[in-house]
Amino acid sequence: MLPPLISYNSVHDLKRAIRTSGGLSRADEIIFDKLSGASLPPLVSPTVLGLILGVSPKLITSLSNHPRRKYPYYRCYKIPKKSGGFRTILAPRTYLKAIQTFILRQILEKQPLPQHVMGFVKGRGIVQNARFHVGAEYMLNVDIKDFFPTIRTEEVFKIFRGLDFPHEMSRVLSMLCTYEGSLPQGAPTSPCLANLAFRAIDQEIVRMCENRSVKYSRYADDLTFSCRRPIDESFVRRVDTILRSHGFILNPKKTKLTKPGQAKYVTGLVVNVRAQPDRRARKTLRAMFHRASLRPRAYRKKAASLAGWASYVYSYDKTLGSRYRKIALKAASD
């Protein structure tokens, strides 16, 4: 990981460089010290961000001022959705991606998130999300429609202002992390910003669930509720009301209520007894690794894919995953 100040050995060296490049007002110095004291990069202006990253402040300004030409700093492409149709991906180009990654690592990932937020948080993921609901008798799965596009630049601005970055710097940071007024799907900062923007809504949902003894978790735009008592349509309507009051809309096609005796899925894993893929997926993986164990040379070009699947299996079954990893290594070395 890159050091927080990248181009400088200490905060004092950075402060000296700022003074040399154009001065540091007393007001800015107070903010500088407050941010660095909070273990955040002391970004009092785009000039400081440029000095830290070793790039021209003019580039920072250019990247934050979106030109009229579409996608100048993004690669735009579409990928098919499982449910049909296509999802638009906006992948930032090299310079912008480097800046967004700095913002992610040095600012956003340092902000605490509650335990029920499972997506894009270190140490949590789809398996932890699924395990949280293992053995539930009743379950509700809902999906938010157009999750990232619904989160506007204004909300992102509030996040940075809430962390005590100056008004103008918060505006620049929010513009660096958004495209045409919302979070772009494909930017490294978008998932974490979405989690932070959703905090107040999460808290409102948690309060509602606590009053009803319902367990709640969220993985990005997938919300899961489980309980030992029936979850009825009135509960769904209450969730919908909370989300709509904040500008979010449920995808009715993905709303699912399950009862005892039915298979229950959380982020793609069955959770009736333990968190794992369904029987069909496990059978497919078992057959693939069996073939690879018998003919490792035939799977040499697929060794990286095997290793990925082995790691996935390891995340929910360490014994089986370890066995699959050995098969993947054998295929890579033969």
Side-chain angles (χ1 to χ4, degrees), residues 66 74 87-92 100 103-104 108 120 146-160 173-198 218 220 248:
H66 303 151
Y74 288 88
R87 177 177 287 111
T88 299
I89 302 297
L90 286 164
Q100 289 177 346
I103 294 169
L104 174 66
L108 303 178
F120 308 100
D146 298 326
F147 185 52
F148 286 167
T150 303
I151 299 170
R152 308 297 293 172
T153 303
E154 294 77 13
E155 293 301 314
V156 177
F157 170 82
K158 290 176 185 177
I159 291 170
F160 290 115
L173 289 169
S174 64
M175 293 296 284
L176 286 168
C177 296
T178 57
Y179 180 78
E180 292 194 336
S182 63
L183 292 180
Q185 188 153 355
T189 43
S190 290
C192 198
L193 281 169
N195 279 340
L196 294 170
F198 212 80
R218 180 176 60 80
F248 293 92

Side-chain angles (χ1 to χ4, degrees), residues 49-300:
L49 180 57
L51 286 169
I52 290 173
L53 296 175
V55 301
S56 167
K58 290 182 179 179
L59 176 61
I60 304 291
T61 303
S62 174
L63 291 169
S64 65
N65 293 328
H66 303 151
R68 292 178 183 176
R69 183 167 61 88
K70 284 185 90 68
Y71 318 128
Y73 303 121
Y74 288 88
R75 264 189 326 112
C76 178
Y77 57 94
K78 297 181 184 294
I79 58 173
K81 294 182 180 180
K82 287 183 179 179
S83 56
F86 292 88
R87 177 177 287 111
T88 299
I89 302 297
L90 286 164
R93 297 187 185 276
T94 304
Y95 281 119
L96 181 56
K97 184 177 181 179
I99 293 169
Q100 289 177 346
T101 301
F102 174 82
I103 294 169
L104 174 66
R105 300 282 184 255
Q106 303 305 330
I107 301 175
L108 303 178
E109 288 185 341
K110 293 182 178 181
Q111 307 313 310
L113 288 165
Q115 288 300 311
H116 59 261
V117 179
M118 299 290 186
F120 308 100
V121 181
K122 188 176 181 180
R124 306 177 206 173
I126 61 171
V127 175
Q128 289 75 17
N129 188 36
R131 283 176 179 162
F132 186 69
H133 298 278
V134 166
E137 294 184 38
Y138 297 88
M139 183 171 289
L140 167 66
N141 303 95
V142 299
D143 178 89
I144 298 173
K145 188 177 181 180
D146 298 326
F147 185 52
F148 286 167
T150 303
I151 299 170
R152 308 297 293 172
T153 303
E154 294 77 13
E155 293 301 314
V156 177
F157 170 82
K158 290 176 185 177
I159 291 170
F160 290 115
R161 280 298 284 146
L163 296 174
D164 293 324
F165 289 100
H167 185 281
E168 178 57 21
M169 193 63 225
S170 295
R171 186 194 70 80
V172 170
L173 289 169
S174 64
M175 293 296 284
L176 286 168
C177 296
T178 57
Y179 180 78
E180 292 194 336
S182 63
L183 292 180
Q185 188 153 355
T189 43
S190 290
C192 198
L193 281 169
N195 279 340
L196 294 170
F198 212 80
R199 280 184 297 188
I201 307 168
D202 276 331
Q203 290 170 3
E204 195 171 342
I205 291 173
V206 165
R207 285 194 295 270
M208 179 190 69
C209 290
E210 286 175 346
N211 291 334
R212 293 166 170 80
S213 300
V214 174
K215 296 178 75 173
Y216 163 67
S217 70
R218 180 176 60 80
Y219 189 99
D221 56 357
D222 291 326
L223 283 61
T224 304
F225 305 86
S226 64
C227 190
R228 294 190 177 279
R229 295 182 297 178
I231 298 175
D232 56 22
E233 290 292 341
S234 65
F235 186 89
V236 181
R237 288 194 295 272
R238 179 59 185 147
V239 173
D240 183 58
T241 299
I242 291 173
L243 292 172
R244 283 182 181 275
S245 70
H246 293 275
F248 293 92
I249 299 173
L250 287 180
N251 184 346
K253 294 180 180 178
K254 293 188 177 181
T255 297
K256 186 177 181 181
L257 278 165
T258 48
K259 302 175 182 179
Q262 295 178 306
K264 296 176 180 64
Y265 289 83
V266 179
T267 44
L269 300 177
V270 181
V271 297
N272 290 58
V273 178
R274 55 181 295 189
Q276 60 183 355
D278 61 27
R279 188 175 301 172
R280 183 178 179 181
R282 296 198 309 272
K283 184 177 179 180
T284 299
L285 286 169
R286 186 164 58 248
M288 179 176 67
F289 278 96
H290 177 68
R291 290 192 299 269
S293 68
L294 296 176
R295 300 175 59 209
R297 288 188 179 181
Y299 279 80
R300 182 182 297 172

